[in-house]
């Protein structure tokens, strides 16, 4: 059974979207593009357009899960407010279709695909090309970001094969219990 995740990078002028599909351990971007609203003057019209377009995407591609990037505070409070409204319009379109949605901060998204929360857009795009099949056309930055959001969700929900999820941790950062440590290291425990 394949997994389909809709990833969204919200914006009040351009909203990126992507459908990440995984089937038999192979990953591909089923669709990866942007919703453009730059020519619309009224912010309310843009919000309605985001809602309508996301609804159409969900009905057409039938994702089972959705993930959206969380806006981070910027210099311009008005721009941040508009970005938050764009995110809300997308979330409402998703929840109206009864699909679960998760939010991820930009640094978590970058870290999930590159291993570095401060990676550039170019580094994110480079890594996406390495882990999945992308459409033949050149992807817009917002579309690539949306695909990275879907990938982040995929890794955070544990759908990746075990060999891709395992990370070597220092023993002090391990989440195992003390009993598991003792069982795994009997020679390191002193007996009285």
């Amino acid at each position: 059974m394949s997994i389909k995740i809709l990833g969204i990078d919200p914006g009040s002028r351009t909203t990126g979207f992507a459908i990440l599909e995984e089937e038999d351990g192979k990953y591909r971007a089923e669709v990866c593009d942007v919703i453009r609203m730059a020519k619309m003057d009224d912010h309310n019209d843009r919000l309605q357009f985001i809602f309508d377009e996301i609804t159409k995407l969900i009905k057409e591609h039938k994702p089972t899960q959705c993930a959206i990037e969380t806006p981070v505070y910027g210099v311009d409070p008005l721009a941040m407010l508009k970005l938050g409204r764009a995110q809300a319009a997308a979330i409402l379109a998703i929840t109206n279709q009864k699909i679960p949605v998760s939010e991820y901060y930009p640094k978590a998204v970058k870290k999930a695909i590159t291993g570095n929360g401060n990676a550039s857009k170019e580094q994110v795009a480079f890594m996406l090309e390495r882990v999945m099949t992308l459409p033949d056309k050149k992807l817009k930055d917002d579309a690539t970001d949306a695909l990275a959001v879907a990938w982040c969700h995929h890794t955070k929900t544990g759908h990746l094969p075990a060999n891709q999820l395992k990370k070597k941790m220092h023993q002090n950062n391990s989440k195992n219990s003390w009993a598991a440590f003792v069982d795994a290291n009997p020679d390191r425990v002193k007996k009285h």
Side-chain angles (χ1 to χ4, degrees), residues 109-191:
V109 171
K110 291 175 181 179
K111 188 170 184 175
I113 188 67
T114 68
N116 177 359
N118 295 316
S120 68
K121 287 184 180 287
E122 293 80 15
Q123 290 169 318
V124 169
F126 177 83
M127 289 305 296
L128 286 170
E129 288 177 18
R130 300 300 177 264
V131 298
M132 71 184 69
T133 304
L134 298 177
D136 291 335
K137 64 180 183 171
K138 169 102 171 82
L139 301 178
K140 315 272 185 306
D141 283 346
D142 292 322
T144 302
D145 291 347
L147 187 55
V149 171
W151 179 265
C152 177
H153 179 72
H154 193 56
T155 62
K156 299 290 183 190
T157 55
H159 293 295
L160 285 178
N163 64 347
Q164 290 183 355
L165 278 180
K166 286 183 183 174
K167 291 182 182 174
K168 193 168 185 174
M169 284 194 256
H170 185 277
Q171 67 188 22
N172 294 338
N173 293 334
S174 174
K175 294 182 181 176
N176 292 336
S177 69
W178 180 247
F181 173 80
V182 171
D183 289 343
N185 301 283
D187 58 317
R188 296 186 64 189
V189 179
K190 292 182 184 177
K191 295 184 179 167

